[in-house]
Amino acid sequence: MSRRLTVAIERFPIAGKFVISRGARTEAVVVTATISDGDHSGRGECVPYARYGESVDGVAATIESQRAAIENGLDRQGLGETLPAGAARNALDCALWDLEAKMTGVPAHVLAGITRVPRATTAYTISLDTPQAMGEAAARSGRPILKIKLGGVGDPARIAAVRAAAPDAVVIADANEAWTPETLAENLAACRRADVALVEQPLPAGEDHHLAAHRGIIPLGADESLHTRDDLARLAGFYDVLNVKLDKTGGLTEALALVAEAEARGFGIMVGCMVGTSLAMAPAMLLTPKARFVDLDGPLLLAEDRACGLLYEGSVVSPPTRELWG
């Protein structure tokens, strides 16, 4: 079988801007890998993330470095042994899943041993801003599940403002490592008063041990602290929920294995995303049947998605069509 790999860097404007504790963005810059056999093409999209030492050009170069291996038949298992977890491996892994589905005519979820992928209700992100602005954005969104980005100083007021503006919404508070051990108790108390459903990554990765004394106040979720199965033993006792993102795991192959082992260890699952297009969300949809929380709103934050994107009806997202992926 003769295969061909192509790599593209694509830019998609964000509607407004996306702001978290580490900064603001006005566009999503993604790297797309396409693997073709002459009759079929499989695609995978990744979002390089500077927090993990990645750059767009660096990730594109890493994907390009696998050209000979991919074109000579490197499979998903071999890919996992060749590249470390991260965005580059994610794009190639998902492209190989898509290519196999296209070549065999068997949907990717069936290839993965999943009977059915139903529609899912995704969280909708409210960017970091003043309490008033975040409250107004929450009220304007009308969404049933909100993920609010926090930034450290002033977070109790932000939490209270969102809850007042959206009294019936499920609220996830995402600090993106912005809290400190000294502010943890105060901020968790504010979350408890506001009936927050989950606090995601309150402390910097590596400081997870400070959470042990605060378990039981409110469910705690790991994001930046979790990448692959290798992290599970270290996180036990500190977190209740794990945010699984394909750009961290290095693709769907590791993500499926991670979810299975995490569940066996008693962790709840959250399926998350970077800000990307529907092509990045599509393979992550295969994880949603196992998820307590779904956060696949990337395309909702864009000014325009790619063609044949996922169908969003309000916050309810449908599985991908075969034209998109899988």
CSV table of all heavy atoms in Angstrom, one decimal, residues 85 89 222-223 225-233 235 242-271 287 290:
chain,number,residue,atom,x,y,z
A,85,ALA,N,3.9,11.6,23.8
A,85,ALA,CA,2.5,12.1,23.8
A,85,ALA,C,2.6,13.6,23.5
A,85,ALA,O,3.5,14.3,23.9
A,85,ALA,CB,1.9,11.9,25.2
A,89,ARG,N,1.8,13.8,17.8
A,89,ARG,CA,1.3,12.4,17.7
A,89,ARG,C,-0.2,12.4,17.6
A,89,ARG,O,-0.7,11.5,17.0
A,89,ARG,CB,1.8,11.7,19.0
A,89,ARG,CG,1.6,10.1,18.8
A,89,ARG,CD,2.2,9.4,20.0
A,89,ARG,NE,1.3,9.3,21.1
A,89,ARG,CZ,1.6,8.9,22.3
A,89,ARG,NH1,2.9,8.5,22.6
A,89,ARG,NH2,0.7,8.8,23.3
A,222,ALA,N,-8.3,17.2,37.4
A,222,ALA,CA,-6.9,17.4,36.9
A,222,ALA,C,-6.9,17.7,35.4
A,222,ALA,O,-7.6,17.0,34.7
A,222,ALA,CB,-6.0,16.2,37.2
A,223,ASP,N,-6.2,18.7,35.0
A,223,ASP,CA,-6.1,19.0,33.6
A,223,ASP,C,-4.6,19.1,33.2
A,223,ASP,O,-4.0,18.1,32.8
A,223,ASP,CB,-6.8,20.3,33.2
A,223,ASP,CG,-6.7,20.6,31.7
A,223,ASP,OD1,-6.0,19.8,31.0
A,223,ASP,OD2,-7.2,21.6,31.2
A,225,SER,N,-2.2,18.7,35.0
A,225,SER,CA,-1.4,17.6,35.7
A,225,SER,C,-1.5,16.3,35.1
A,225,SER,O,-0.8,15.3,35.5
A,225,SER,CB,-1.9,17.5,37.2
A,225,SER,OG,-1.6,18.7,37.9
A,226,LEU,N,-2.5,16.1,34.1
A,226,LEU,CA,-2.7,14.8,33.5
A,226,LEU,C,-2.4,14.8,32.0
A,226,LEU,O,-2.9,15.7,31.3
A,226,LEU,CB,-4.2,14.4,33.7
A,226,LEU,CG,-4.6,13.2,32.9
A,226,LEU,CD1,-4.1,11.9,33.6
A,226,LEU,CD2,-6.1,13.1,32.6
A,227,HIS,N,-1.6,13.8,31.6
A,227,HIS,CA,-1.3,13.7,30.2
A,227,HIS,C,-1.6,12.2,29.7
A,227,HIS,O,-2.4,12.0,28.8
A,227,HIS,CB,0.1,14.0,29.9
A,227,HIS,CG,0.4,15.5,30.0
A,227,HIS,ND1,0.5,16.4,28.9
A,227,HIS,CD2,0.6,16.3,31.1
A,227,HIS,CE1,0.7,17.6,29.4
A,227,HIS,NE2,0.8,17.6,30.7
A,228,THR,N,-1.0,11.2,30.4
A,228,THR,CA,-1.1,9.9,29.9
A,228,THR,C,-1.4,9.0,31.1
A,228,THR,O,-1.4,9.4,32.3
A,228,THR,CB,0.1,9.4,29.2
A,228,THR,OG1,1.2,9.3,30.1
A,228,THR,CG2,0.4,10.3,28.0
A,229,ARG,N,-1.4,7.7,30.9
A,229,ARG,CA,-1.6,6.7,32.0
A,229,ARG,C,-0.5,6.7,33.0
A,229,ARG,O,-0.7,6.4,34.1
A,229,ARG,CB,-1.7,5.3,31.4
A,229,ARG,CG,-3.0,4.9,30.7
A,229,ARG,CD,-2.9,3.6,29.9
A,229,ARG,NE,-2.1,3.8,28.7
A,229,ARG,CZ,-1.7,2.8,27.9
A,229,ARG,NH1,-2.1,1.5,28.3
A,229,ARG,NH2,-1.0,3.0,26.8
A,230,ASP,N,0.7,7.2,32.6
A,230,ASP,CA,1.8,7.3,33.5
A,230,ASP,C,1.6,8.2,34.6
A,230,ASP,O,2.3,8.1,35.7
A,230,ASP,CB,3.1,7.7,32.7
A,230,ASP,CG,3.6,6.7,31.7
A,230,ASP,OD1,3.2,5.5,31.8
A,230,ASP,OD2,4.3,7.1,30.8
A,231,ASP,N,0.6,9.1,34.5
A,231,ASP,CA,0.3,10.1,35.6
A,231,ASP,C,-0.7,9.6,36.6
A,231,ASP,O,-0.9,10.2,37.7
A,231,ASP,CB,-0.2,11.4,35.0
A,231,ASP,CG,0.8,12.0,34.0
A,231,ASP,OD1,1.9,12.2,34.4
A,231,ASP,OD2,0.3,12.4,32.9
A,232,LEU,N,-1.4,8.5,36.3
A,232,LEU,CA,-2.5,8.1,37.2
A,232,LEU,C,-2.1,7.8,38.6
A,232,LEU,O,-2.8,8.3,39.5
A,232,LEU,CB,-3.2,6.9,36.5
A,232,LEU,CG,-3.9,7.2,35.2
A,232,LEU,CD1,-4.6,5.9,34.7
A,232,LEU,CD2,-5.0,8.3,35.4
A,233,ALA,N,-1.1,7.0,38.8
A,233,ALA,CA,-0.7,6.7,40.2
A,233,ALA,C,-0.3,7.9,41.0
A,233,ALA,O,-0.7,8.0,42.2
A,233,ALA,CB,0.5,5.7,40.1
A,235,LEU,N,-1.5,10.9,40.7
A,235,LEU,CA,-2.7,11.8,41.0
A,235,LEU,C,-3.7,11.2,41.9
A,235,LEU,O,-4.6,11.9,42.4
A,235,LEU,CB,-3.4,12.1,39.6
A,235,LEU,CG,-2.5,12.9,38.6
A,235,LEU,CD1,-3.3,13.2,37.3
A,235,LEU,CD2,-1.9,14.2,39.2
A,242,LEU,N,-10.7,13.4,35.9
A,242,LEU,CA,-9.5,13.7,35.0
A,242,LEU,C,-10.0,14.2,33.7
A,242,LEU,O,-10.9,13.7,33.1
A,242,LEU,CB,-8.8,12.4,34.8
A,242,LEU,CG,-8.3,11.6,36.0
A,242,LEU,CD1,-7.6,10.3,35.6
A,242,LEU,CD2,-7.3,12.5,36.9
A,243,ASN,N,-9.4,15.4,33.3
A,243,ASN,CA,-9.8,16.0,32.0
A,243,ASN,C,-8.9,15.4,30.9
A,243,ASN,O,-7.7,15.7,30.8
A,243,ASN,CB,-9.6,17.5,32.1
A,243,ASN,CG,-10.1,18.2,30.8
A,243,ASN,OD1,-10.4,17.5,29.8
A,243,ASN,ND2,-10.4,19.5,30.9
A,244,VAL,N,-9.4,14.5,30.1
A,244,VAL,CA,-8.7,13.8,29.0
A,244,VAL,C,-8.8,14.7,27.8
A,244,VAL,O,-9.9,14.9,27.2
A,244,VAL,CB,-9.3,12.4,28.8
A,244,VAL,CG1,-8.5,11.7,27.7
A,244,VAL,CG2,-9.2,11.6,30.1
A,245,LYS,N,-7.7,15.1,27.2
A,245,LYS,CA,-7.6,15.8,26.0
A,245,LYS,C,-6.7,15.1,25.0
A,245,LYS,O,-5.6,14.7,25.4
A,245,LYS,CB,-7.1,17.3,26.2
A,245,LYS,CG,-8.0,18.1,27.1
A,245,LYS,CD,-7.4,19.5,27.3
A,245,LYS,CE,-8.3,20.4,28.1
A,245,LYS,NZ,-7.7,21.7,28.4
A,246,LEU,N,-7.1,15.0,23.8
A,246,LEU,CA,-6.3,14.2,22.8
A,246,LEU,C,-4.9,14.9,22.6
A,246,LEU,O,-3.9,14.2,22.3
A,246,LEU,CB,-7.0,14.0,21.5
A,246,LEU,CG,-8.4,13.3,21.6
A,246,LEU,CD1,-8.9,12.9,20.2
A,246,LEU,CD2,-8.3,12.1,22.5
A,247,ASP,N,-4.9,16.2,22.6
A,247,ASP,CA,-3.6,16.9,22.4
A,247,ASP,C,-2.6,16.6,23.5
A,247,ASP,O,-1.4,16.8,23.3
A,247,ASP,CB,-3.8,18.4,22.2
A,247,ASP,CG,-4.2,18.8,20.8
A,247,ASP,OD1,-3.6,18.3,19.9
A,247,ASP,OD2,-5.2,19.5,20.7
A,248,LYS,N,-3.1,16.2,24.7
A,248,LYS,CA,-2.2,15.8,25.8
A,248,LYS,C,-1.8,14.4,25.7
A,248,LYS,O,-0.7,14.0,25.9
A,248,LYS,CB,-2.9,16.1,27.1
A,248,LYS,CG,-3.1,17.6,27.4
A,248,LYS,CD,-3.6,17.8,28.9
A,248,LYS,CE,-4.8,17.1,29.2
A,248,LYS,NZ,-5.2,17.2,30.6
A,249,THR,N,-2.8,13.5,25.4
A,249,THR,CA,-2.6,12.1,25.4
A,249,THR,C,-1.7,11.6,24.2
A,249,THR,O,-1.1,10.6,24.2
A,249,THR,CB,-3.9,11.2,25.4
A,249,THR,OG1,-4.6,11.5,24.2
A,249,THR,CG2,-4.7,11.6,26.6
A,250,GLY,N,-1.8,12.5,23.2
A,250,GLY,CA,-1.1,12.1,21.9
A,250,GLY,C,-2.0,11.3,21.0
A,250,GLY,O,-1.5,10.5,20.2
A,251,GLY,N,-3.3,11.5,21.1
A,251,GLY,CA,-4.2,10.8,20.2
A,251,GLY,C,-5.2,10.0,20.9
A,251,GLY,O,-5.3,9.8,22.1
A,252,LEU,N,-6.1,9.5,20.0
A,252,LEU,CA,-7.3,8.7,20.5
A,252,LEU,C,-6.8,7.3,21.1
A,252,LEU,O,-7.4,6.8,22.0
A,252,LEU,CB,-8.2,8.4,19.4
A,252,LEU,CG,-9.5,7.6,19.7
A,252,LEU,CD1,-10.3,8.3,20.7
A,252,LEU,CD2,-10.3,7.4,18.4
A,253,THR,N,-5.8,6.7,20.5
A,253,THR,CA,-5.3,5.4,21.0
A,253,THR,C,-5.0,5.4,22.5
A,253,THR,O,-5.4,4.6,23.2
A,253,THR,CB,-4.1,4.9,20.1
A,253,THR,OG1,-4.5,4.9,18.8
A,253,THR,CG2,-3.6,3.6,20.6
A,254,GLU,N,-4.1,6.4,22.9
A,254,GLU,CA,-3.8,6.5,24.3
A,254,GLU,C,-4.9,6.9,25.1
A,254,GLU,O,-5.1,6.5,26.3
A,254,GLU,CB,-2.6,7.4,24.5
A,254,GLU,CG,-2.3,7.8,25.9
A,254,GLU,CD,-1.8,6.6,26.8
A,254,GLU,OE1,-1.4,5.6,26.3
A,254,GLU,OE2,-2.0,6.8,28.0
A,255,ALA,N,-5.8,7.8,24.6
A,255,ALA,CA,-6.9,8.3,25.3
A,255,ALA,C,-7.9,7.2,25.7
A,255,ALA,O,-8.4,7.2,26.9
A,255,ALA,CB,-7.7,9.4,24.5
A,256,LEU,N,-8.1,6.3,24.8
A,256,LEU,CA,-9.0,5.2,25.1
A,256,LEU,C,-8.4,4.3,26.2
A,256,LEU,O,-9.1,3.9,27.1
A,256,LEU,CB,-9.3,4.3,23.8
A,256,LEU,CG,-10.1,5.0,22.8
A,256,LEU,CD1,-10.0,4.2,21.5
A,256,LEU,CD2,-11.6,5.1,23.2
A,257,ALA,N,-7.1,4.1,26.1
A,257,ALA,CA,-6.5,3.2,27.2
A,257,ALA,C,-6.4,4.0,28.5
A,257,ALA,O,-6.6,3.4,29.6
A,257,ALA,CB,-5.1,2.9,26.7
A,258,LEU,N,-6.2,5.3,28.5
A,258,LEU,CA,-6.2,6.1,29.7
A,258,LEU,C,-7.6,6.1,30.4
A,258,LEU,O,-7.6,5.9,31.6
A,258,LEU,CB,-5.8,7.5,29.3
A,258,LEU,CG,-6.0,8.6,30.4
A,258,LEU,CD1,-5.2,8.3,31.6
A,258,LEU,CD2,-5.6,10.0,29.9
A,259,VAL,N,-8.6,6.3,29.6
A,259,VAL,CA,-10.0,6.3,30.2
A,259,VAL,C,-10.3,4.9,30.9
A,259,VAL,O,-10.8,4.9,32.0
A,259,VAL,CB,-11.0,6.6,29.1
A,259,VAL,CG1,-12.4,6.3,29.6
A,259,VAL,CG2,-10.9,8.1,28.7
A,260,ALA,N,-9.9,3.8,30.2
A,260,ALA,CA,-10.2,2.5,30.8
A,260,ALA,C,-9.5,2.3,32.1
A,260,ALA,O,-10.0,1.9,33.1
A,260,ALA,CB,-9.8,1.4,29.8
A,261,GLU,N,-8.2,2.7,32.1
A,261,GLU,CA,-7.4,2.5,33.4
A,261,GLU,C,-7.9,3.5,34.4
A,261,GLU,O,-7.9,3.2,35.6
A,261,GLU,CB,-5.9,2.7,33.1
A,261,GLU,CG,-5.1,2.4,34.3
A,261,GLU,CD,-3.6,2.3,34.0
A,261,GLU,OE1,-3.2,1.9,32.9
A,261,GLU,OE2,-2.8,2.5,34.9
A,262,ALA,N,-8.2,4.7,34.0
A,262,ALA,CA,-8.6,5.7,35.0
A,262,ALA,C,-9.9,5.3,35.7
A,262,ALA,O,-10.1,5.4,36.9
A,262,ALA,CB,-8.8,7.1,34.3
A,263,GLU,N,-10.9,4.8,34.9
A,263,GLU,CA,-12.1,4.3,35.5
A,263,GLU,C,-11.9,3.1,36.4
A,263,GLU,O,-12.5,3.0,37.5
A,263,GLU,CB,-13.0,3.8,34.3
A,263,GLU,CG,-13.7,4.9,33.6
A,263,GLU,CD,-14.9,4.4,32.7
A,263,GLU,OE1,-14.7,3.4,32.1
A,263,GLU,OE2,-15.9,5.1,32.8
A,264,ALA,N,-10.9,2.2,36.1
A,264,ALA,CA,-10.6,1.1,37.0
A,264,ALA,C,-10.0,1.6,38.3
A,264,ALA,O,-10.2,0.9,39.3
A,264,ALA,CB,-9.7,0.2,36.2
A,265,ARG,N,-9.4,2.7,38.3
A,265,ARG,CA,-8.8,3.3,39.5
A,265,ARG,C,-9.8,4.2,40.3
A,265,ARG,O,-9.5,4.7,41.3
A,265,ARG,CB,-7.6,4.1,39.2
A,265,ARG,CG,-6.4,3.3,38.7
A,265,ARG,CD,-5.2,4.2,38.3
A,265,ARG,NE,-4.0,3.5,37.9
A,265,ARG,CZ,-3.0,3.3,38.8
A,265,ARG,NH1,-3.1,3.7,40.0
A,265,ARG,NH2,-1.9,2.6,38.3
A,266,GLY,N,-11.0,4.3,39.7
A,266,GLY,CA,-12.1,5.1,40.4
A,266,GLY,C,-12.2,6.5,40.1
A,266,GLY,O,-12.9,7.3,40.7
A,267,PHE,N,-11.4,7.0,39.1
A,267,PHE,CA,-11.6,8.4,38.6
A,267,PHE,C,-12.8,8.6,37.8
A,267,PHE,O,-13.1,7.7,37.0
A,267,PHE,CB,-10.3,8.8,37.8
A,267,PHE,CG,-9.1,9.0,38.6
A,267,PHE,CD1,-8.1,8.0,38.5
A,267,PHE,CD2,-8.8,10.1,39.4
A,267,PHE,CE1,-6.9,8.1,39.2
A,267,PHE,CE2,-7.6,10.2,40.1
A,267,PHE,CZ,-6.7,9.2,40.0
A,268,GLY,N,-13.4,9.8,37.9
A,268,GLY,CA,-14.4,10.2,36.9
A,268,GLY,C,-13.7,10.8,35.7
A,268,GLY,O,-12.6,11.2,35.8
A,269,ILE,N,-14.4,10.8,34.6
A,269,ILE,CA,-13.8,11.3,33.3
A,269,ILE,C,-14.5,12.6,32.9
A,269,ILE,O,-15.7,12.7,32.9
A,269,ILE,CB,-14.0,10.2,32.2
A,269,ILE,CG1,-13.3,8.9,32.7
A,269,ILE,CG2,-13.4,10.7,30.9
A,269,ILE,CD1,-11.8,9.0,33.0
A,270,MET,N,-13.7,13.5,32.4
A,270,MET,CA,-14.1,14.7,31.7
A,270,MET,C,-13.4,14.6,30.3
A,270,MET,O,-12.2,14.3,30.3
A,270,MET,CB,-13.7,15.9,32.4
A,270,MET,CG,-14.0,17.2,31.7
A,270,MET,SD,-13.6,18.7,32.8
A,270,MET,CE,-14.2,20.0,31.8
A,271,VAL,N,-14.1,14.9,29.3
A,271,VAL,CA,-13.5,15.0,27.9
A,271,VAL,C,-13.4,16.4,27.6
A,271,VAL,O,-14.4,17.2,27.5
A,271,VAL,CB,-14.4,14.2,26.9
A,271,VAL,CG1,-13.8,14.3,25.5
A,271,VAL,CG2,-14.6,12.8,27.3
A,287,LEU,N,-15.0,9.4,23.3
A,287,LEU,CA,-14.8,9.2,24.7
A,287,LEU,C,-16.0,9.7,25.5
A,287,LEU,O,-16.1,9.4,26.7
A,287,LEU,CB,-13.6,10.1,25.2
A,287,LEU,CG,-12.3,9.9,24.4
A,287,LEU,CD1,-11.3,10.8,25.0
A,287,LEU,CD2,-11.8,8.4,24.6
A,290,LYS,N,-18.3,7.7,28.2
A,290,LYS,CA,-17.7,7.4,29.5
A,290,LYS,C,-17.6,8.6,30.4
A,290,LYS,O,-17.1,8.5,31.5
A,290,LYS,CB,-16.3,6.8,29.3
A,290,LYS,CG,-16.3,5.5,28.6
A,290,LYS,CD,-16.7,4.3,29.4
A,290,LYS,CE,-16.5,3.0,28.8
A,290,LYS,NZ,-16.9,1.9,29.7
